[in-house]
Amino acid sequence: MGTKPDWQQALDDLPTTRACGACAVCCTVLQIDELAKPAGVACWHLKTTGGCAIWGEHPTPCKTYVCLWRLSDVLIPPDLFPADCGFMLSLTNLSQWPTAVNIMPAPGHALDAWNTPERRQLFHRLAAAWNCPVVALDQASEPTHVFTPAGNLYDSIERPDVFPGQRQLALSESEYGPDRRAPYLRMQEADFRWRE
Ligand code: SF4
Ligand code: SF4
């Protein structure tokens, strides 16, 4: 019997009452190479009643993907339920720094559903609290905007130097803060005060 890694245990310990319910955004948005499923196409293993028809045998990317809304009641505001708000939030790497929070557009919603004054304020706070960029992606998973830990917001049209293509970002060292702990440790602290 294997022991869970620290980061997995830390995530399991986060308080949550949230459930996916009628949402299936991740099973549509994610690219799953093991299934030859492109991004933006509903997975053929999605049941009409909701849920995964091959649960338990679902591919590794489905198992390791983390939806921040679903993960805990304390991380992300309740109104960012992916099926309603038009995007989902996920981390690129949980177990070590650096990482990024991705804003991935949900099918049938505007690409810029994330771009309201209230949500911009939230993403600025999140980037600073976890010392990680918060990156808005298009449907091809190419970055279009980035909130940096230093408090900047860059647009790929105005700052192409920050968006070199191939799903990469080119942020300078000065955009990051000094605290480079793994993101799961920050989540345990639950000190990202989105309620204020
Ligand atoms: S996007 Fe999040 S809330 Fe929606 S189905 Fe996936 S894990 Fe559940
Ligand atoms: S295999 Fe299951 S968990 Fe993975 S994308 Fe398809 S329906 Fe979702």
mmCIF file with all atom_site columns, all heavy atoms in Angstrom, residues 3-14 63-66 71 91 93-96 182-185 187-188:
data_model
loop_
_atom_site.group_PDB
_atom_site.id
_atom_site.type_symbol
_atom_site.label_atom_id
_atom_site.label_alt_id
_atom_site.label_comp_id
_atom_site.label_asym_id
_atom_site.label_entity_id
_atom_site.label_seq_id
_atom_site.pdbx_PDB_ins_code
_atom_site.Cartn_x
_atom_site.Cartn_y
_atom_site.Cartn_z
_atom_site.occupancy
_atom_site.B_iso_or_equiv
_atom_site.pdbx_formal_charge
_atom_site.auth_seq_id
_atom_site.auth_comp_id
_atom_site.auth_asym_id
_atom_site.auth_atom_id
_atom_site.pdbx_PDB_model_num
ATOM 1   N N   . THR A 1 3   ? 1.796   5.282  0.394   1.00 0.00 ? 3   THR A N   1
ATOM 2   C CA  . THR A 1 3   ? 1.373   6.382  1.242   1.00 0.00 ? 3   THR A CA  1
ATOM 3   C C   . THR A 1 3   ? 1.161   7.600  0.353   1.00 0.00 ? 3   THR A C   1
ATOM 4   O O   . THR A 1 3   ? 1.908   7.823  -0.585  1.00 0.00 ? 3   THR A O   1
ATOM 5   C CB  . THR A 1 3   ? 2.470   6.690  2.278   1.00 0.00 ? 3   THR A CB  1
ATOM 6   O OG1 . THR A 1 3   ? 2.761   5.480  2.973   1.00 0.00 ? 3   THR A OG1 1
ATOM 7   C CG2 . THR A 1 3   ? 2.009   7.756  3.246   1.00 0.00 ? 3   THR A CG2 1
ATOM 8   N N   . LYS A 1 4   ? 0.134   8.343  0.665   1.00 0.00 ? 4   LYS A N   1
ATOM 9   C CA  . LYS A 1 4   ? -0.130  9.538  -0.138  1.00 0.00 ? 4   LYS A CA  1
ATOM 10  C C   . LYS A 1 4   ? 1.004   10.532 0.015   1.00 0.00 ? 4   LYS A C   1
ATOM 11  O O   . LYS A 1 4   ? 1.515   10.716 1.127   1.00 0.00 ? 4   LYS A O   1
ATOM 12  C CB  . LYS A 1 4   ? -1.408  10.212 0.357   1.00 0.00 ? 4   LYS A CB  1
ATOM 13  C CG  . LYS A 1 4   ? -2.670  9.564  -0.114  1.00 0.00 ? 4   LYS A CG  1
ATOM 14  C CD  . LYS A 1 4   ? -3.850  10.398 0.348   1.00 0.00 ? 4   LYS A CD  1
ATOM 15  C CE  . LYS A 1 4   ? -5.144  9.687  0.016   1.00 0.00 ? 4   LYS A CE  1
ATOM 16  N NZ  . LYS A 1 4   ? -6.311  10.421 0.517   1.00 0.00 ? 4   LYS A NZ  1
ATOM 17  N N   . PRO A 1 5   ? 1.385   11.211 -1.051  1.00 0.00 ? 5   PRO A N   1
ATOM 18  C CA  . PRO A 1 5   ? 2.358   12.291 -0.898  1.00 0.00 ? 5   PRO A CA  1
ATOM 19  C C   . PRO A 1 5   ? 1.766   13.421 -0.052  1.00 0.00 ? 5   PRO A C   1
ATOM 20  O O   . PRO A 1 5   ? 0.544   13.571 0.039   1.00 0.00 ? 5   PRO A O   1
ATOM 21  C CB  . PRO A 1 5   ? 2.619   12.745 -2.335  1.00 0.00 ? 5   PRO A CB  1
ATOM 22  C CG  . PRO A 1 5   ? 1.518   12.180 -3.164  1.00 0.00 ? 5   PRO A CG  1
ATOM 23  C CD  . PRO A 1 5   ? 0.956   11.012 -2.428  1.00 0.00 ? 5   PRO A CD  1
ATOM 24  N N   . ASP A 1 6   ? 2.662   14.205 0.560   1.00 0.00 ? 6   ASP A N   1
ATOM 25  C CA  . ASP A 1 6   ? 2.215   15.285 1.459   1.00 0.00 ? 6   ASP A CA  1
ATOM 26  C C   . ASP A 1 6   ? 1.216   16.217 0.782   1.00 0.00 ? 6   ASP A C   1
ATOM 27  O O   . ASP A 1 6   ? 0.225   16.633 1.383   1.00 0.00 ? 6   ASP A O   1
ATOM 28  C CB  . ASP A 1 6   ? 3.424   16.114 1.917   1.00 0.00 ? 6   ASP A CB  1
ATOM 29  C CG  . ASP A 1 6   ? 4.273   15.359 2.915   1.00 0.00 ? 6   ASP A CG  1
ATOM 30  O OD1 . ASP A 1 6   ? 3.837   14.272 3.358   1.00 0.00 ? 6   ASP A OD1 1
ATOM 31  O OD2 . ASP A 1 6   ? 5.369   15.848 3.226   1.00 0.00 ? 6   ASP A OD2 1
ATOM 32  N N   . TRP A 1 7   ? 1.501   16.556 -0.469  1.00 0.00 ? 7   TRP A N   1
ATOM 33  C CA  . TRP A 1 7   ? 0.632   17.530 -1.133  1.00 0.00 ? 7   TRP A CA  1
ATOM 34  C C   . TRP A 1 7   ? -0.767  16.965 -1.336  1.00 0.00 ? 7   TRP A C   1
ATOM 35  O O   . TRP A 1 7   ? -1.758  17.670 -1.179  1.00 0.00 ? 7   TRP A O   1
ATOM 36  C CB  . TRP A 1 7   ? 1.241   18.003 -2.452  1.00 0.00 ? 7   TRP A CB  1
ATOM 37  C CG  . TRP A 1 7   ? 1.363   16.958 -3.514  1.00 0.00 ? 7   TRP A CG  1
ATOM 38  C CD1 . TRP A 1 7   ? 2.408   16.147 -3.766  1.00 0.00 ? 7   TRP A CD1 1
ATOM 39  C CD2 . TRP A 1 7   ? 0.366   16.607 -4.480  1.00 0.00 ? 7   TRP A CD2 1
ATOM 40  N NE1 . TRP A 1 7   ? 2.144   15.309 -4.815  1.00 0.00 ? 7   TRP A NE1 1
ATOM 41  C CE2 . TRP A 1 7   ? 0.899   15.582 -5.273  1.00 0.00 ? 7   TRP A CE2 1
ATOM 42  C CE3 . TRP A 1 7   ? -0.938  17.067 -4.759  1.00 0.00 ? 7   TRP A CE3 1
ATOM 43  C CZ2 . TRP A 1 7   ? 0.180   14.990 -6.320  1.00 0.00 ? 7   TRP A CZ2 1
ATOM 44  C CZ3 . TRP A 1 7   ? -1.644  16.491 -5.792  1.00 0.00 ? 7   TRP A CZ3 1
ATOM 45  C CH2 . TRP A 1 7   ? -1.087  15.468 -6.562  1.00 0.00 ? 7   TRP A CH2 1
ATOM 46  N N   . GLN A 1 8   ? -0.851  15.642 -1.629  1.00 0.00 ? 8   GLN A N   1
ATOM 47  C CA  . GLN A 1 8   ? -2.162  15.029 -1.830  1.00 0.00 ? 8   GLN A CA  1
ATOM 48  C C   . GLN A 1 8   ? -2.933  14.988 -0.516  1.00 0.00 ? 8   GLN A C   1
ATOM 49  O O   . GLN A 1 8   ? -4.130  15.283 -0.459  1.00 0.00 ? 8   GLN A O   1
ATOM 50  C CB  . GLN A 1 8   ? -1.993  13.612 -2.374  1.00 0.00 ? 8   GLN A CB  1
ATOM 51  C CG  . GLN A 1 8   ? -3.314  12.921 -2.695  1.00 0.00 ? 8   GLN A CG  1
ATOM 52  C CD  . GLN A 1 8   ? -4.046  13.572 -3.848  1.00 0.00 ? 8   GLN A CD  1
ATOM 53  O OE1 . GLN A 1 8   ? -3.557  13.537 -4.964  1.00 0.00 ? 8   GLN A OE1 1
ATOM 54  N NE2 . GLN A 1 8   ? -5.180  14.190 -3.580  1.00 0.00 ? 8   GLN A NE2 1
ATOM 55  N N   . GLN A 1 9   ? -2.230  14.653 0.561   1.00 0.00 ? 9   GLN A N   1
ATOM 56  C CA  . GLN A 1 9   ? -2.876  14.620 1.865   1.00 0.00 ? 9   GLN A CA  1
ATOM 57  C C   . GLN A 1 9   ? -3.354  16.015 2.255   1.00 0.00 ? 9   GLN A C   1
ATOM 58  O O   . GLN A 1 9   ? -4.447  16.187 2.808   1.00 0.00 ? 9   GLN A O   1
ATOM 59  C CB  . GLN A 1 9   ? -1.902  14.079 2.919   1.00 0.00 ? 9   GLN A CB  1
ATOM 60  C CG  . GLN A 1 9   ? -2.555  13.801 4.269   1.00 0.00 ? 9   GLN A CG  1
ATOM 61  C CD  . GLN A 1 9   ? -3.674  12.765 4.160   1.00 0.00 ? 9   GLN A CD  1
ATOM 62  O OE1 . GLN A 1 9   ? -3.447  11.663 3.681   1.00 0.00 ? 9   GLN A OE1 1
ATOM 63  N NE2 . GLN A 1 9   ? -4.885  13.137 4.570   1.00 0.00 ? 9   GLN A NE2 1
ATOM 64  N N   . ALA A 1 10  ? -2.527  17.027 1.983   1.00 0.00 ? 10  ALA A N   1
ATOM 65  C CA  . ALA A 1 10  ? -2.896  18.406 2.323   1.00 0.00 ? 10  ALA A CA  1
ATOM 66  C C   . ALA A 1 10  ? -4.173  18.820 1.592   1.00 0.00 ? 10  ALA A C   1
ATOM 67  O O   . ALA A 1 10  ? -5.050  19.479 2.168   1.00 0.00 ? 10  ALA A O   1
ATOM 68  C CB  . ALA A 1 10  ? -1.745  19.346 1.968   1.00 0.00 ? 10  ALA A CB  1
ATOM 69  N N   . LEU A 1 11  ? -4.284  18.444 0.338   1.00 0.00 ? 11  LEU A N   1
ATOM 70  C CA  . LEU A 1 11  ? -5.495  18.778 -0.415  1.00 0.00 ? 11  LEU A CA  1
ATOM 71  C C   . LEU A 1 11  ? -6.701  18.033 0.148   1.00 0.00 ? 11  LEU A C   1
ATOM 72  O O   . LEU A 1 11  ? -7.790  18.596 0.277   1.00 0.00 ? 11  LEU A O   1
ATOM 73  C CB  . LEU A 1 11  ? -5.320  18.440 -1.893  1.00 0.00 ? 11  LEU A CB  1
ATOM 74  C CG  . LEU A 1 11  ? -4.218  19.183 -2.646  1.00 0.00 ? 11  LEU A CG  1
ATOM 75  C CD1 . LEU A 1 11  ? -4.336  18.899 -4.127  1.00 0.00 ? 11  LEU A CD1 1
ATOM 76  C CD2 . LEU A 1 11  ? -4.278  20.676 -2.394  1.00 0.00 ? 11  LEU A CD2 1
ATOM 77  N N   . ASP A 1 12  ? -6.499  16.762 0.489   1.00 0.00 ? 12  ASP A N   1
ATOM 78  C CA  . ASP A 1 12  ? -7.602  15.964 1.035   1.00 0.00 ? 12  ASP A CA  1
ATOM 79  C C   . ASP A 1 12  ? -8.091  16.541 2.362   1.00 0.00 ? 12  ASP A C   1
ATOM 80  O O   . ASP A 1 12  ? -9.253  16.370 2.728   1.00 0.00 ? 12  ASP A O   1
ATOM 81  C CB  . ASP A 1 12  ? -7.159  14.513 1.244   1.00 0.00 ? 12  ASP A CB  1
ATOM 82  C CG  . ASP A 1 12  ? -6.977  13.780 -0.079  1.00 0.00 ? 12  ASP A CG  1
ATOM 83  O OD1 . ASP A 1 12  ? -7.343  14.337 -1.131  1.00 0.00 ? 12  ASP A OD1 1
ATOM 84  O OD2 . ASP A 1 12  ? -6.449  12.658 -0.063  1.00 0.00 ? 12  ASP A OD2 1
ATOM 85  N N   . ASP A 1 13  ? -7.199  17.202 3.090   1.00 0.00 ? 13  ASP A N   1
ATOM 86  C CA  . ASP A 1 13  ? -7.550  17.753 4.398   1.00 0.00 ? 13  ASP A CA  1
ATOM 87  C C   . ASP A 1 13  ? -8.301  19.080 4.314   1.00 0.00 ? 13  ASP A C   1
ATOM 88  O O   . ASP A 1 13  ? -8.819  19.563 5.322   1.00 0.00 ? 13  ASP A O   1
ATOM 89  C CB  . ASP A 1 13  ? -6.282  17.962 5.241   1.00 0.00 ? 13  ASP A CB  1
ATOM 90  C CG  . ASP A 1 13  ? -5.669  16.632 5.681   1.00 0.00 ? 13  ASP A CG  1
ATOM 91  O OD1 . ASP A 1 13  ? -6.363  15.598 5.579   1.00 0.00 ? 13  ASP A OD1 1
ATOM 92  O OD2 . ASP A 1 13  ? -4.488  16.637 6.096   1.00 0.00 ? 13  ASP A OD2 1
ATOM 93  N N   . LEU A 1 14  ? -8.329  19.696 3.139   1.00 0.00 ? 14  LEU A N   1
ATOM 94  C CA  . LEU A 1 14  ? -9.034  20.972 3.021   1.00 0.00 ? 14  LEU A CA  1
ATOM 95  C C   . LEU A 1 14  ? -10.537 20.756 3.196   1.00 0.00 ? 14  LEU A C   1
ATOM 96  O O   . LEU A 1 14  ? -11.089 19.787 2.683   1.00 0.00 ? 14  LEU A O   1
ATOM 97  C CB  . LEU A 1 14  ? -8.772  21.596 1.640   1.00 0.00 ? 14  LEU A CB  1
ATOM 98  C CG  . LEU A 1 14  ? -7.389  22.182 1.419   1.00 0.00 ? 14  LEU A CG  1
ATOM 99  C CD1 . LEU A 1 14  ? -7.202  22.537 -0.052  1.00 0.00 ? 14  LEU A CD1 1
ATOM 100 C CD2 . LEU A 1 14  ? -7.180  23.416 2.285   1.00 0.00 ? 14  LEU A CD2 1
ATOM 101 N N   . LYS A 1 63  ? -7.370  12.255 -13.291 1.00 0.00 ? 63  LYS A N   1
ATOM 102 C CA  . LYS A 1 63  ? -7.169  12.020 -11.861 1.00 0.00 ? 63  LYS A CA  1
ATOM 103 C C   . LYS A 1 63  ? -6.343  13.124 -11.212 1.00 0.00 ? 63  LYS A C   1
ATOM 104 O O   . LYS A 1 63  ? -6.545  13.448 -10.041 1.00 0.00 ? 63  LYS A O   1
ATOM 105 C CB  . LYS A 1 63  ? -6.478  10.671 -11.643 1.00 0.00 ? 63  LYS A CB  1
ATOM 106 C CG  . LYS A 1 63  ? -7.352  9.477  -11.999 1.00 0.00 ? 63  LYS A CG  1
ATOM 107 C CD  . LYS A 1 63  ? -6.565  8.176  -11.895 1.00 0.00 ? 63  LYS A CD  1
ATOM 108 C CE  . LYS A 1 63  ? -7.454  6.983  -12.186 1.00 0.00 ? 63  LYS A CE  1
ATOM 109 N NZ  . LYS A 1 63  ? -6.708  5.755  -12.463 1.00 0.00 ? 63  LYS A NZ  1
ATOM 110 N N   . THR A 1 64  ? -5.410  13.678 -11.945 1.00 0.00 ? 64  THR A N   1
ATOM 111 C CA  . THR A 1 64  ? -4.505  14.658 -11.340 1.00 0.00 ? 64  THR A CA  1
ATOM 112 C C   . THR A 1 64  ? -4.990  16.094 -11.520 1.00 0.00 ? 64  THR A C   1
ATOM 113 O O   . THR A 1 64  ? -4.523  16.990 -10.827 1.00 0.00 ? 64  THR A O   1
ATOM 114 C CB  . THR A 1 64  ? -3.093  14.537 -11.938 1.00 0.00 ? 64  THR A CB  1
ATOM 115 O OG1 . THR A 1 64  ? -3.180  14.652 -13.366 1.00 0.00 ? 64  THR A OG1 1
ATOM 116 C CG2 . THR A 1 64  ? -2.463  13.205 -11.580 1.00 0.00 ? 64  THR A CG2 1
ATOM 117 N N   . TYR A 1 65  ? -5.933  16.297 -12.406 1.00 0.00 ? 65  TYR A N   1
ATOM 118 C CA  . TYR A 1 65  ? -6.458  17.648 -12.608 1.00 0.00 ? 65  TYR A CA  1
ATOM 119 C C   . TYR A 1 65  ? -7.130  18.122 -11.324 1.00 0.00 ? 65  TYR A C   1
ATOM 120 O O   . TYR A 1 65  ? -7.855  17.376 -10.666 1.00 0.00 ? 65  TYR A O   1
ATOM 121 C CB  . TYR A 1 65  ? -7.462  17.632 -13.768 1.00 0.00 ? 65  TYR A CB  1
ATOM 122 C CG  . TYR A 1 65  ? -8.431  18.766 -13.713 1.00 0.00 ? 65  TYR A CG  1
ATOM 123 C CD1 . TYR A 1 65  ? -8.020  20.057 -14.012 1.00 0.00 ? 65  TYR A CD1 1
ATOM 124 C CD2 . TYR A 1 65  ? -9.753  18.568 -13.327 1.00 0.00 ? 65  TYR A CD2 1
ATOM 125 C CE1 . TYR A 1 65  ? -8.899  21.115 -13.938 1.00 0.00 ? 65  TYR A CE1 1
ATOM 126 C CE2 . TYR A 1 65  ? -10.641 19.614 -13.262 1.00 0.00 ? 65  TYR A CE2 1
ATOM 127 C CZ  . TYR A 1 65  ? -10.211 20.880 -13.569 1.00 0.00 ? 65  TYR A CZ  1
ATOM 128 O OH  . TYR A 1 65  ? -11.082 21.927 -13.479 1.00 0.00 ? 65  TYR A OH  1
ATOM 129 N N   . VAL A 1 66  ? -6.915  19.381 -10.962 1.00 0.00 ? 66  VAL A N   1
ATOM 130 C CA  . VAL A 1 66  ? -7.526  19.939 -9.752  1.00 0.00 ? 66  VAL A CA  1
ATOM 131 C C   . VAL A 1 66  ? -8.357  21.163 -10.115 1.00 0.00 ? 66  VAL A C   1
ATOM 132 O O   . VAL A 1 66  ? -7.836  22.137 -10.664 1.00 0.00 ? 66  VAL A O   1
ATOM 133 C CB  . VAL A 1 66  ? -6.451  20.321 -8.722  1.00 0.00 ? 66  VAL A CB  1
ATOM 134 C CG1 . VAL A 1 66  ? -7.076  21.107 -7.578  1.00 0.00 ? 66  VAL A CG1 1
ATOM 135 C CG2 . VAL A 1 66  ? -5.785  19.066 -8.177  1.00 0.00 ? 66  VAL A CG2 1
ATOM 136 N N   . LEU A 1 71  ? -12.283 22.014 -5.018  1.00 0.00 ? 71  LEU A N   1
ATOM 137 C CA  . LEU A 1 71  ? -11.330 21.518 -4.032  1.00 0.00 ? 71  LEU A CA  1
ATOM 138 C C   . LEU A 1 71  ? -11.695 21.886 -2.600  1.00 0.00 ? 71  LEU A C   1
ATOM 139 O O   . LEU A 1 71  ? -11.531 21.089 -1.689  1.00 0.00 ? 71  LEU A O   1
ATOM 140 C CB  . LEU A 1 71  ? -9.940  22.081 -4.373  1.00 0.00 ? 71  LEU A CB  1
ATOM 141 C CG  . LEU A 1 71  ? -8.757  21.581 -3.575  1.00 0.00 ? 71  LEU A CG  1
ATOM 142 C CD1 . LEU A 1 71  ? -8.596  20.078 -3.723  1.00 0.00 ? 71  LEU A CD1 1
ATOM 143 C CD2 . LEU A 1 71  ? -7.498  22.309 -4.045  1.00 0.00 ? 71  LEU A CD2 1
ATOM 144 N N   . LEU A 1 91  ? -4.810  24.715 -11.166 1.00 0.00 ? 91  LEU A N   1
ATOM 145 C CA  . LEU A 1 91  ? -3.379  24.959 -10.973 1.00 0.00 ? 91  LEU A CA  1
ATOM 146 C C   . LEU A 1 91  ? -2.569  24.074 -11.908 1.00 0.00 ? 91  LEU A C   1
ATOM 147 O O   . LEU A 1 91  ? -2.908  22.903 -12.124 1.00 0.00 ? 91  LEU A O   1
ATOM 148 C CB  . LEU A 1 91  ? -2.975  24.622 -9.538  1.00 0.00 ? 91  LEU A CB  1
ATOM 149 C CG  . LEU A 1 91  ? -3.024  25.749 -8.524  1.00 0.00 ? 91  LEU A CG  1
ATOM 150 C CD1 . LEU A 1 91  ? -2.875  25.178 -7.131  1.00 0.00 ? 91  LEU A CD1 1
ATOM 151 C CD2 . LEU A 1 91  ? -1.928  26.769 -8.786  1.00 0.00 ? 91  LEU A CD2 1
ATOM 152 N N   . ASN A 1 93  ? 0.522   23.181 -11.283 1.00 0.00 ? 93  ASN A N   1
ATOM 153 C CA  . ASN A 1 93  ? 1.411   22.341 -10.475 1.00 0.00 ? 93  ASN A CA  1
ATOM 154 C C   . ASN A 1 93  ? 1.087   22.552 -9.002  1.00 0.00 ? 93  ASN A C   1
ATOM 155 O O   . ASN A 1 93  ? 1.144   23.674 -8.512  1.00 0.00 ? 93  ASN A O   1
ATOM 156 C CB  . ASN A 1 93  ? 2.872   22.728 -10.761 1.00 0.00 ? 93  ASN A CB  1
ATOM 157 C CG  . ASN A 1 93  ? 3.837   21.763 -10.130 1.00 0.00 ? 93  ASN A CG  1
ATOM 158 O OD1 . ASN A 1 93  ? 3.450   20.894 -9.349  1.00 0.00 ? 93  ASN A OD1 1
ATOM 159 N ND2 . ASN A 1 93  ? 5.100   21.895 -10.444 1.00 0.00 ? 93  ASN A ND2 1
ATOM 160 N N   . LEU A 1 94  ? 0.744   21.485 -8.321  1.00 0.00 ? 94  LEU A N   1
ATOM 161 C CA  . LEU A 1 94  ? 0.360   21.601 -6.918  1.00 0.00 ? 94  LEU A CA  1
ATOM 162 C C   . LEU A 1 94  ? 1.502   21.343 -5.952  1.00 0.00 ? 94  LEU A C   1
ATOM 163 O O   . LEU A 1 94  ? 1.515   21.834 -4.846  1.00 0.00 ? 94  LEU A O   1
ATOM 164 C CB  . LEU A 1 94  ? -0.729  20.574 -6.621  1.00 0.00 ? 94  LEU A CB  1
ATOM 165 C CG  . LEU A 1 94  ? -2.105  20.953 -7.115  1.00 0.00 ? 94  LEU A CG  1
ATOM 166 C CD1 . LEU A 1 94  ? -2.931  19.708 -7.328  1.00 0.00 ? 94  LEU A CD1 1
ATOM 167 C CD2 . LEU A 1 94  ? -2.755  21.864 -6.104  1.00 0.00 ? 94  LEU A CD2 1
ATOM 168 N N   . SER A 1 95  ? 2.445   20.548 -6.387  1.00 0.00 ? 95  SER A N   1
ATOM 169 C CA  . SER A 1 95  ? 3.404   20.019 -5.427  1.00 0.00 ? 95  SER A CA  1
ATOM 170 C C   . SER A 1 95  ? 4.657   20.867 -5.283  1.00 0.00 ? 95  SER A C   1
ATOM 171 O O   . SER A 1 95  ? 5.420   20.670 -4.343  1.00 0.00 ? 95  SER A O   1
ATOM 172 C CB  . SER A 1 95  ? 3.810   18.595 -5.810  1.00 0.00 ? 95  SER A CB  1
ATOM 173 O OG  . SER A 1 95  ? 4.364   18.577 -7.098  1.00 0.00 ? 95  SER A OG  1
ATOM 174 N N   . GLN A 1 96  ? 4.885   21.773 -6.211  1.00 0.00 ? 96  GLN A N   1
ATOM 175 C CA  . GLN A 1 96  ? 6.075   22.613 -6.069  1.00 0.00 ? 96  GLN A CA  1
ATOM 176 C C   . GLN A 1 96  ? 5.908   23.926 -6.814  1.00 0.00 ? 96  GLN A C   1
ATOM 177 O O   . GLN A 1 96  ? 5.070   24.043 -7.704  1.00 0.00 ? 96  GLN A O   1
ATOM 178 C CB  . GLN A 1 96  ? 7.320   21.875 -6.587  1.00 0.00 ? 96  GLN A CB  1
ATOM 179 C CG  . GLN A 1 96  ? 7.225   21.480 -8.040  1.00 0.00 ? 96  GLN A CG  1
ATOM 180 C CD  . GLN A 1 96  ? 8.391   20.605 -8.463  1.00 0.00 ? 96  GLN A CD  1
ATOM 181 O OE1 . GLN A 1 96  ? 9.160   20.137 -7.644  1.00 0.00 ? 96  GLN A OE1 1
ATOM 182 N NE2 . GLN A 1 96  ? 8.523   20.386 -9.753  1.00 0.00 ? 96  GLN A NE2 1
ATOM 183 N N   . ALA A 1 182 ? 5.693   25.583 -2.006  1.00 0.00 ? 182 ALA A N   1
ATOM 184 C CA  . ALA A 1 182 ? 4.767   24.857 -2.871  1.00 0.00 ? 182 ALA A CA  1
ATOM 185 C C   . ALA A 1 182 ? 3.341   25.367 -2.642  1.00 0.00 ? 182 ALA A C   1
ATOM 186 O O   . ALA A 1 182 ? 2.974   25.741 -1.533  1.00 0.00 ? 182 ALA A O   1
ATOM 187 C CB  . ALA A 1 182 ? 4.843   23.369 -2.565  1.00 0.00 ? 182 ALA A CB  1
ATOM 188 N N   . PRO A 1 183 ? 2.532   25.376 -3.685  1.00 0.00 ? 183 PRO A N   1
ATOM 189 C CA  . PRO A 1 183 ? 1.180   25.931 -3.551  1.00 0.00 ? 183 PRO A CA  1
ATOM 190 C C   . PRO A 1 183 ? 0.303   25.193 -2.553  1.00 0.00 ? 183 PRO A C   1
ATOM 191 O O   . PRO A 1 183 ? -0.545  25.802 -1.911  1.00 0.00 ? 183 PRO A O   1
ATOM 192 C CB  . PRO A 1 183 ? 0.608   25.833 -4.974  1.00 0.00 ? 183 PRO A CB  1
ATOM 193 C CG  . PRO A 1 183 ? 1.521   24.950 -5.731  1.00 0.00 ? 183 PRO A CG  1
ATOM 194 C CD  . PRO A 1 183 ? 2.853   25.006 -5.068  1.00 0.00 ? 183 PRO A CD  1
ATOM 195 N N   . TYR A 1 184 ? 0.496   23.908 -2.372  1.00 0.00 ? 184 TYR A N   1
ATOM 196 C CA  . TYR A 1 184 ? -0.380  23.196 -1.434  1.00 0.00 ? 184 TYR A CA  1
ATOM 197 C C   . TYR A 1 184 ? -0.177  23.695 -0.004  1.00 0.00 ? 184 TYR A C   1
ATOM 198 O O   . TYR A 1 184 ? -1.092  23.652 0.817   1.00 0.00 ? 184 TYR A O   1
ATOM 199 C CB  . TYR A 1 184 ? -0.191  21.686 -1.531  1.00 0.00 ? 184 TYR A CB  1
ATOM 200 C CG  . TYR A 1 184 ? 1.053   21.124 -0.909  1.00 0.00 ? 184 TYR A CG  1
ATOM 201 C CD1 . TYR A 1 184 ? 1.076   20.736 0.428   1.00 0.00 ? 184 TYR A CD1 1
ATOM 202 C CD2 . TYR A 1 184 ? 2.210   20.969 -1.657  1.00 0.00 ? 184 TYR A CD2 1
ATOM 203 C CE1 . TYR A 1 184 ? 2.222   20.210 1.004   1.00 0.00 ? 184 TYR A CE1 1
ATOM 204 C CE2 . TYR A 1 184 ? 3.355   20.444 -1.095  1.00 0.00 ? 184 TYR A CE2 1
ATOM 205 C CZ  . TYR A 1 184 ? 3.362   20.073 0.243   1.00 0.00 ? 184 TYR A CZ  1
ATOM 206 O OH  . TYR A 1 184 ? 4.496   19.562 0.799   1.00 0.00 ? 184 TYR A OH  1
ATOM 207 N N   . LEU A 1 185 ? 1.017   24.211 0.319   1.00 0.00 ? 185 LEU A N   1
ATOM 208 C CA  . LEU A 1 185 ? 1.245   24.769 1.650   1.00 0.00 ? 185 LEU A CA  1
ATOM 209 C C   . LEU A 1 185 ? 0.465   26.077 1.829   1.00 0.00 ? 185 LEU A C   1
ATOM 210 O O   . LEU A 1 185 ? -0.084  26.353 2.884   1.00 0.00 ? 185 LEU A O   1
ATOM 211 C CB  . LEU A 1 185 ? 2.739   24.999 1.866   1.00 0.00 ? 185 LEU A CB  1
ATOM 212 C CG  . LEU A 1 185 ? 3.588   23.729 1.870   1.00 0.00 ? 185 LEU A CG  1
ATOM 213 C CD1 . LEU A 1 185 ? 5.065   24.066 1.874   1.00 0.00 ? 185 LEU A CD1 1
ATOM 214 C CD2 . LEU A 1 185 ? 3.237   22.871 3.088   1.00 0.00 ? 185 LEU A CD2 1
ATOM 215 N N   . MET A 1 187 ? -2.305  26.749 0.345   1.00 0.00 ? 187 MET A N   1
ATOM 216 C CA  . MET A 1 187 ? -3.719  26.413 0.442   1.00 0.00 ? 187 MET A CA  1
ATOM 217 C C   . MET A 1 187 ? -4.083  25.969 1.843   1.00 0.00 ? 187 MET A C   1
ATOM 218 O O   . MET A 1 187 ? -5.174  26.257 2.332   1.00 0.00 ? 187 MET A O   1
ATOM 219 C CB  . MET A 1 187 ? -4.039  25.287 -0.543  1.00 0.00 ? 187 MET A CB  1
ATOM 220 C CG  . MET A 1 187 ? -3.968  25.745 -1.958  1.00 0.00 ? 187 MET A CG  1
ATOM 221 S SD  . MET A 1 187 ? -4.265  24.342 -3.027  1.00 0.00 ? 187 MET A SD  1
ATOM 222 C CE  . MET A 1 187 ? -4.311  25.193 -4.585  1.00 0.00 ? 187 MET A CE  1
ATOM 223 N N   . GLN A 1 188 ? -3.177  25.263 2.498   1.00 0.00 ? 188 GLN A N   1
ATOM 224 C CA  . GLN A 1 188 ? -3.451  24.847 3.872   1.00 0.00 ? 188 GLN A CA  1
ATOM 225 C C   . GLN A 1 188 ? -3.659  26.058 4.769   1.00 0.00 ? 188 GLN A C   1
ATOM 226 O O   . GLN A 1 188 ? -4.454  26.034 5.698   1.00 0.00 ? 188 GLN A O   1
ATOM 227 C CB  . GLN A 1 188 ? -2.296  24.014 4.403   1.00 0.00 ? 188 GLN A CB  1
ATOM 228 C CG  . GLN A 1 188 ? -2.317  22.574 3.934   1.00 0.00 ? 188 GLN A CG  1
ATOM 229 C CD  . GLN A 1 188 ? -1.140  21.811 4.505   1.00 0.00 ? 188 GLN A CD  1
ATOM 230 O OE1 . GLN A 1 188 ? 0.012   22.213 4.320   1.00 0.00 ? 188 GLN A OE1 1
ATOM 231 N NE2 . GLN A 1 188 ? -1.420  20.728 5.190   1.00 0.00 ? 188 GLN A NE2 1
#
